[in-house]
């Protein structure tokens, strides 16, 4: 009898835990790791994000490089991509690494899981939290898109999710958000003061009458709107969005109104899904970061939102001989309070680093800054 009662108690505890996890949307840890809460650094009041776009990893040292100088061809492989990630980690010491799709080049990867293990190895060995979304080539090896994302979320130190736990129906795989809390010990330590959104921009259109690449679907946009609204009720924190395929609005820029270069067309979907309008309507996202077009690396501002490319990172991806592979950094800084404590987000800055001898930093710019309260425009006084 005692054994039966004990068994019932165990079952009830398991059921209760399952209900709690799914009702509250608590993220279940993977591989026995505790989920790491992202937060700002207490010494500098910063949160640093490294974007890695289009690694196109395949089979490691057996995979040759694309579009490099003649003197680089003989000894250039996927390992050059790995070395570049390691250099960036050592130089910039990011708090989060974000991989924005085409992490592997499926057609040339004999084993998708083995290719991903090698591609993400530098991030894993650094023990820095990392997140990933899918591009249009990740599923072209031995795993489906869902299979690729399932493999990613099972890897060490990743915060990636297949999809939100509290959403039953949503298109794609790899739609999720992460909260970055304030400095430990500050009044913001239990509050998200920076919100990060990750979305699956798809691979190719599945509608016969619509050619070309995929796009962010209405179900994903609805999830983003609801998530943004919920987060903004808790705090008016700025947000950043990461996905692979650029929005059609990236084509609105020319050299007169962006920082960086545009050396190829904007390979967005052939239809406009309206996601930029959704972003603008939500109001919290200050910048969007994509990949896909490897030799574009610009940032331009449209209706209060910066649209940015990461720039081609991987050596097995197409590029331009003599034009260095590159990575984008984003640094979010906090304001100091009256008592010298860290407060809310003050500014969001970005720059790129080239994989050259000096790891040269270029194109630094401010993406967003909070207007000081003393500089707010006063309402005019109408005298009678």
């Amino acid at each position: 009898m005692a054994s039966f009662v004990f068994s019932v108690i165990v079952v009830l505890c398991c059921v209760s835990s399952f209900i709690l996890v799914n009702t509250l949307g608590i993220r279940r840890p993977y591989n026995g790791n505790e989920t790491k809460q992202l937060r700002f650094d207490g010494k500098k009041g910063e949160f640093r994000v490294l974007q890695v776009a289009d690694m196109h990893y395949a089979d490691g040292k057996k995979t040759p490089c694309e579009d490099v100088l003649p003197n680089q061809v003989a000894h250039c492989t996927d390992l050059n991509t790995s070395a570049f990630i390691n250099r960036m980690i050592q130089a910039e010491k990011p708090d989060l690494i974000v991989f924005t799709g085409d992490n592997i080049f499926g057609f040339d990867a004999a084993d998708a899981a083995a290719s991903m293990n090698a591609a993400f190895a530098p991030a894993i060995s650094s023990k820095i939290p990392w997140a990933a979304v899918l591009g249009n080539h990740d599923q072209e090896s031995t795993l489906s898109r869902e299979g690729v994302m399932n493999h990613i979320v099972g890897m060490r130190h990743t915060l990636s999710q297949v999809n939100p736990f509290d959403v039953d129906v949503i298109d794609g795989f790899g739609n999720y958000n992460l909260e970055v809390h304030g400095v430990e010990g500050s009044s913001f330590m239990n509050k998200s003061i920076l919100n990060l959104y990750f979305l699956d921009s798809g691979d190719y259109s599945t509608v016969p009458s619509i050619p070309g690449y995929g796009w962010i679907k209405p179900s994903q946009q609805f999830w983003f709107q609801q998530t943004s609204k919920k987060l903004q009720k808790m705090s008016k924190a700025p947000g950043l969005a990461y996905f692979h395929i650029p929005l059609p609005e990236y084509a609105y820029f020319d050299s007169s109104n962006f920082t960086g270069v545009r050396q190829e067309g904007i390979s967005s979907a052939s239809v406009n899904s309206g996601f930029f309008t959704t972003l603008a309507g939500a109001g919290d996202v200050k910048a969007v970061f994509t990949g896909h077009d490897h030799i574009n690396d610009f940032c331009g501002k449209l209706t209060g939102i910066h649209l940015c490319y990461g720039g081609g990172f991987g050596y097995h991806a197409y590029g331009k001989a003599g034009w260095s592979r590159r990575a984008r950094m984003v640094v979010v800084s906090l304001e100091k309070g009256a008592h010298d404590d860290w407060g809310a987000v003050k500014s969001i800055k970005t720059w790129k680093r080239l994989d050259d001898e000096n790891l040269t930093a270029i194109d630094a710019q401010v993406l967003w800054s909070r207007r000081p309260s003393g500089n707010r425009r006063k309402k005019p006084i109408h005298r009678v």
Side-chain angles (χ1 to χ4, degrees):
M1 181 67 180
S3 176
F4 173 77
V5 172
F6 177 78
S7 298
V8 171
I9 292 172
V10 169
V11 169
L12 288 175
C13 287
C14 291
V15 171
S16 299
S17 298
F18 177 82
I19 292 172
L20 181 64
V21 164
N22 285 277
T23 302
L24 300 180
I26 298 172
R27 181 172 182 258
R28 287 163 285 206
Y30 296 105
N31 275 358
N33 295 332
E34 291 185 5
T35 301
K36 180 179 176 63
Q37 174 59 60
L38 297 175
R39 67 173 63 252
F40 280 77
D41 170 70
K43 293 182 179 179
K44 295 184 177 180
E46 291 181 344
F47 189 79
R48 305 171 68 85
V49 183
L50 165 61
Q51 180 191 1
V52 176
D54 298 272
M55 287 191 292
H56 278 235
Y57 217 92
D59 292 334
K61 64 181 180 181
K62 294 186 290 185
T63 302
C65 296
E66 300 284 339
D67 298 325
V68 293
L69 294 172
N71 63 346
Q72 296 176 292
V73 171
H75 305 289
C76 190
T77 69
D78 276 339
L79 301 186
N80 289 64
T81 301
S82 300
F84 186 20
I85 298 177
N86 284 323
R87 293 185 76 197
M88 287 298 302
I89 290 171
Q90 292 170 10
E92 291 288 5
K93 297 176 175 54
D95 299 295
L96 178 69
I97 305 170
V98 178
F99 297 91
T100 50
D102 283 2
N103 307 303
I104 64 172
F105 187 64
F107 286 131
D108 291 341
D111 182 301
S115 182
M116 284 187 282
N117 292 345
F120 297 125
I124 293 168
S125 62
S126 74
K127 299 183 180 179
I128 294 170
W130 59 277
V133 294
L134 302 183
N136 54 293
H137 290 304
D138 293 285
Q139 78 291 339
E140 293 169 342
S141 179
T142 55
L143 292 173
S144 65
R145 289 181 76 76
E146 183 177 11
V148 168
M149 206 65 212
N150 275 318
H151 184 80
I152 288 172
V153 300
M155 300 178 82
R156 301 282 290 178
H157 308 300
T158 189
L159 300 179
S160 308
Q161 297 175 29
V162 174
N163 271 327
F165 293 118
D166 54 352
V167 176
D168 293 328
V169 179
I170 189 169
D171 286 279
F173 303 98
N175 304 288
Y176 56 101
N177 68 289
L178 296 174
E179 301 178 8
V180 186
H181 287 199
V183 170
E184 189 80 46
S186 74
S187 58
F188 293 95
M189 66 176 291
N190 295 318
K191 182 183 294 186
S192 180
I193 55 175
L194 175 68
N195 295 315
L196 306 177
Y197 302 97
F198 304 87
L199 296 105
D200 181 3
S201 54
D203 50 5
Y204 302 97
S205 171
T206 57
V207 180
S209 59
I210 301 175
Y213 294 108
W215 56 88
I216 294 171
K217 307 295 196 304
S219 64
Q220 297 167 277
Q221 297 191 43
F222 180 75
W223 164 78
F224 164 76
Q225 286 175 313
Q226 296 301 108
T227 304
S228 171
K229 188 181 299 183
K230 178 185 71 175
L231 291 169
Q232 289 190 70
K233 282 182 180 178
M234 294 187 284
S235 74
K236 295 295 182 182
L240 306 174
Y242 290 89
F243 46 91
H244 182 69
I245 297 175
L247 301 172
E249 284 79 6
Y250 274 65
Y252 290 12
F253 302 109
D254 58 41
S255 59
S256 69
N257 58 5
F258 65 60
T259 300
V261 297
R262 174 178 173 175
Q263 302 177 109
E264 61 177 311
I266 310 301
S267 298
S268 58
S270 59
V271 294
N272 193 325
S273 69
F275 188 50
F276 181 81
T277 302
T278 299
L279 289 168
D284 59 334
V285 170
K286 308 306 177 186
V288 171
F289 302 93
T290 65
H292 194 54
D293 300 327
H294 306 175
I295 56 175
N296 291 340
D297 73 351
F298 66 79
C299 260
K301 188 177 182 181
L302 181 67
T303 320
I305 301 174
H306 275 87
L307 301 179
C308 302
Y309 279 107
F313 191 102
Y315 278 87
H316 186 53
Y318 77 82
K320 185 177 179 182
W323 192 72
S324 298
R325 264 59 176 188
R326 57 203 58 213
R328 181 173 291 281
M329 283 297 302
V330 173
V331 176
V332 185
S333 300
L334 301 180
E335 58 188 5
K336 272 290 186 78
H339 303 288
D340 208 36
D341 56 337
W342 294 112
V345 171
K346 177 180 69 175
S347 66
I348 303 172
K349 299 176 182 178
T350 188
W351 59 85
K352 296 173 298 241
R353 281 195 184 269
L354 310 182
D355 192 23
D356 59 13
E357 184 179 354
N358 300 312
L359 212 61
T360 305
I362 63 169
D363 295 339
Q365 60 187 124
V366 177
L367 300 179
W368 179 82
S369 61
R370 187 179 300 278
R371 184 188 300 173
S373 57
N375 292 345
R376 290 175 184 166
R377 183 178 296 175
K378 295 180 180 179
K379 294 182 178 179
I381 300 175
H382 298 284
R383 301 184 184 278
V384 179

